[in-house]
């Protein structure tokens, strides 16, 4: 049986939560390998809505769920999310949730710095969620992070706090803010430590045992490849690598364990926050798609920008992440449109490009080249076999496959878990 790695192949918000939940019900373990609680996944199961930010989507189905070392962990956000899900009837214990003991922590000082920077940036804002993700990753690579394992050794934290506070106090002074209150920070850590340490363990070791037993592992990514700090629309990106290759480093298993790479792709394109968006629609069509698709961020509540499907960027992200097959979501949102468009290339300074250039100015300046197709009036909602789809919807999917040079493995026709058309089983590949 193949393991499966799930990544977003656009700017995030592609519907990964539903697909991961659907796959998790057939997996033995699910592991998050990057990002933090800036990620938002919405699951709809038998009419019940579950909103996740930090926990792996498999937790709702009872699948063994793990938070890998590549994640930056806000321990208070973790407690809030666990409490909320338990209130919805989801059972969570150290039997079905594990947190890597080498995860870096997001601290209140990280949230402070995130907000101070974004406020001061003016027109240079990049649209962060303000949850401290970026500053926490900075401290990780700066070798001054406090990690989950440190919560068991809070009396020996002086030297680490010296390094951490020396850095942050200087930054805070630049924003006319007082130094970090070390005693208050330690008090907060002492209060949250028992909760987090219930779940802390060497996740890499747990995964090794699971893999040795022949179990099926699902690697769950957050955000999308176009938000990757190296390969995305820099600087309007997240602070981690969101490509499939990160699954190995962010979980503690080698690259030969990550298996089938499933790229989640929305039938149109959306993004939240600032940054280039070649196919963005600022008209009634875009507004209508956004309303039908309920395009509001799970975490931030911000309205998502909406545009036509961009085959150029998806072909690019599939190549960069080695995508084996895609899951095509939200095709039902396009029901009723007389015409649908697909971006097949860009024009820039009189030249035609078949890729998105790296420079932010060039990305903002490209003009999309469109191919038009007839839409469909029939409903695709709830279809569970390919034969149930309208003929023009099938033509649309087939054309997308051709343009992105990657086959469709799954088609999602509603937010409900079971409204999924399986064309190629990732776990059996």
């Amino acid at each position: 049986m193949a393991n499966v790695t799930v990544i977003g192949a656009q700017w995030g918000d592609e519907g990964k939560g539903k697909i991961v939940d659907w796959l998790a019900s057939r997996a033995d373990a699910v592991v998050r390998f990057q990002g933090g609680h800036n990620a938002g996944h919405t699951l709809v199961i038998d009419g019940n809505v579950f909103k996740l930010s930090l926990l792996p989507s498999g937790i709702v189905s009872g699948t063994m769920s793990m938070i890998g070392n590549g994640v930056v962990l806000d321990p208070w956000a973790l407690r809030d999310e666990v409490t909320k899900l338990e209130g919805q009837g989801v059972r969570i214990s150290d039997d079905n949730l594990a947190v890597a003991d080498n995860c870096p922590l997001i601290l209140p000082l990280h949230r402070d710095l995130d907000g101070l920077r974004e406020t001061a940036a003016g027109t240079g804002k990049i649209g962060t969620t303000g949850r401290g993700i970026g500053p926490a990753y900075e401290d990780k690579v700066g070798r001054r992070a406090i990690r989950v394992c440190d919560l068991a050794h809070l009396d020996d934290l002086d030297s680490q706090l010296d390094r951490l506070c020396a850095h942050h106090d200087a930054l805070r002074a630049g924003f006319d803010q007082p130094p970090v209150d070390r005693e208050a920070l330690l008090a907060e850590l002492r209060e949250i430590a028992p909760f987090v340490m219930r779940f802390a363990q060497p996740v890499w070791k747990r995964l090794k045992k699971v893999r040795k037993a022949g179990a099926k592992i699902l690697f769950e990514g957050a955000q999308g490849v176009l938000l990757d700090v190296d390969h995305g629309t820099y600087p309007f990106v997240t602070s981690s690598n969101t490509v499939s290759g990160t699954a190995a480093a962010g979980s503690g298993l080698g690259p030969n364990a990550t298996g089938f790479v499933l790229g989640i792709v929305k039938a149109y394109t959306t993004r939240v926050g600032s940054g280039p968006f070649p196919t963005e629609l600022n008209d009634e069509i875009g507004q209508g798609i956004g309303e039908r698709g309920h395009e509001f961020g799970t975490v931030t509540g911000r309205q998502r920008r909406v545009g036509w499907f961009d085959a150029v960027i998806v072909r690019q992200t599939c190549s960069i992440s080695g995508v084996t097959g895609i899951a095509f979501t939200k095709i039902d949102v396009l029901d009723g449109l007389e015409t649908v468009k697909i971006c097949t290339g860009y024009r820039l300074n009189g030249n035609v490009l078949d890729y998105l250039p790296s420079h932010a100015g060039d990305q903002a300046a490209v003009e999309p080249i469109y191919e038009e197709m007839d839409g469909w009036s029939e409903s695709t909602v709830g279809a569970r076999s390919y034969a149930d789809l309208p003929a023009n919807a099938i033509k649309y999917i087939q054309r997308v496959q051709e343009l992105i040079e990657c086959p469709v493995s799954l088609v999602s026709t509603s937010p409900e878990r079971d409204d999924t058309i399986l064309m190629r089983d990732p776990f059996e590949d």
Side-chain angles (χ1 to χ4, degrees):
M1 299 289 184
N3 295 330
V4 177
T5 298
V6 174
I7 53 106
Q10 293 162 312
W11 276 289
D13 307 309
E14 301 95 347
K16 290 185 294 298
K18 176 212 167 151
I19 300 299
V20 170
D21 171 66
W22 187 84
L23 290 168
S25 65
R26 304 164 64 244
D28 301 297
V30 183
V31 56
R32 271 281 307 272
F33 59 82
Q34 51 77 220
H37 64 307
N38 56 339
H41 292 167
T42 300
L43 313 183
V44 181
I45 303 170
D46 297 327
N48 297 311
V49 179
F50 302 90
K51 292 184 181 292
L52 308 178
S53 297
L54 184 58
L55 292 170
S57 298
I59 198 73
V60 176
S61 61
T63 306
M64 177 63 204
S65 298
M66 308 185 206
I67 296 175
N69 59 276
V71 173
V72 283
L73 182 87
D74 184 320
W76 299 277
L78 176 66
R79 182 172 61 185
D80 289 347
E81 195 166 326
V82 167
T83 301
K84 181 179 179 181
L85 285 181
E86 287 179 334
Q88 291 184 272
V90 178
R91 185 188 67 83
I92 300 175
S93 70
D94 54 4
D95 288 331
N96 66 347
L97 177 64
V99 176
D101 56 3
N102 52 344
C103 267
L105 296 179
I106 299 175
L107 305 173
L109 55 84
H110 294 128
R111 295 193 296 271
D112 292 345
L113 181 58
D114 209 353
L116 290 167
R117 282 175 170 170
E118 195 74 347
T119 299
T123 58
K125 290 181 180 180
I126 59 174
T128 77
T129 60
R131 283 162 168 73
I133 310 296
Y137 272 118
E138 289 176 39
D139 281 346
K140 173 184 176 178
V141 299
R143 295 165 292 182
R144 53 183 171 265
I146 295 174
R147 304 190 298 172
V148 168
C149 54
D150 295 320
L151 294 176
H153 302 275
L154 291 176
D155 291 334
D156 304 316
L157 212 58
D158 283 348
S159 61
Q160 287 171 262
L161 283 174
D162 286 343
R163 291 195 302 273
L164 183 69
C165 291
H167 177 76
H168 281 269
D169 285 349
L171 293 173
R172 291 169 71 91
F175 290 108
D176 294 323
Q177 297 296 307
V180 174
D181 187 334
R182 290 174 59 146
E183 291 306 314
L185 176 58
L186 274 171
E188 290 182 279
L189 291 173
R190 291 187 195 283
E191 187 272 333
I192 197 67
F195 174 83
V196 178
M197 294 309 294
R198 288 169 47 199
F199 307 105
Q201 60 181 275
V203 159
W204 68 267
K205 190 174 181 181
R206 182 73 173 267
L207 283 169
K208 179 183 177 182
K209 182 179 179 180
V210 167
R211 188 186 181 203
K212 192 173 182 179
K216 293 180 285 189
I217 303 171
L218 183 61
F219 298 88
E220 178 182 0
Q223 290 96 27
V225 176
L226 289 167
L227 294 175
D228 185 279
V229 70
D230 287 313
H231 299 287
T233 48
Y234 191 92
F236 303 100
V237 293
T238 193
S239 300
S240 61
N241 286 110
T242 59
V243 293
S244 62
T246 312
S251 67
L253 280 182
N256 63 341
T258 52
F260 189 107
V261 179
L262 184 68
I264 314 300
V265 175
K266 200 176 286 184
Y268 47 99
T269 311
T270 63
R271 80 170 297 174
V272 172
S274 306
F277 188 172
T279 66
E280 184 171 11
L281 291 168
N282 295 304
D283 57 15
E284 291 182 0
I285 295 177
Q287 183 177 349
I289 292 174
E291 290 173 353
R292 288 194 299 275
H294 305 291
E295 295 298 349
F296 295 91
T298 301
V299 170
T300 64
R302 289 182 292 181
Q303 186 170 356
R304 298 177 186 135
R305 300 154 64 190
V306 175
W308 292 118
F309 185 85
D310 190 332
V312 180
I313 57 174
V314 175
R315 183 171 61 243
Q316 186 165 324
T317 58
C318 285
S319 177
I320 290 167
S321 258
V323 173
T324 315
I326 67 168
F328 207 53
T329 69
K330 287 199 164 185
I331 192 167
D332 53 296
V333 176
L334 301 183
D335 291 354
L337 290 177
E338 186 174 337
T339 302
V340 291
K341 295 183 180 180
I342 302 175
C343 175
T344 60
Y346 303 131
R347 288 190 180 88
L348 178 66
N349 300 326
N351 298 313
V352 174
L353 302 181
D354 62 356
Y355 68 98
L356 185 66
S358 297
H359 190 269
D362 290 340
Q363 291 174 351
V366 296
E367 298 178 5
I369 300 171
Y370 286 118
E371 177 179 304
E372 292 192 7
M373 300 183 67
D374 291 334
W376 52 93
S377 57
E378 309 95 318
S379 174
T380 63
V381 176
R384 296 186 181 181
S385 74
Y386 206 50
D388 292 336
L389 293 175
N392 283 349
I394 293 174
K395 290 178 183 178
Y396 182 70
I397 295 169
Q398 290 174 337
R399 184 56 178 149
V400 165
Q401 288 184 121
E402 294 171 359
L403 290 168
I404 67 173
E405 300 172 1
C406 188
V408 172
S409 296
L410 305 170
V411 179
S412 171
T413 57
S414 94
E416 285 285 352
R417 175 193 286 172
D418 293 332
D419 290 340
T420 303
I421 300 170
L422 178 63
M423 299 165 66
R424 182 183 181 191
D425 192 334
F427 279 123
E428 300 293 340
D429 193 85

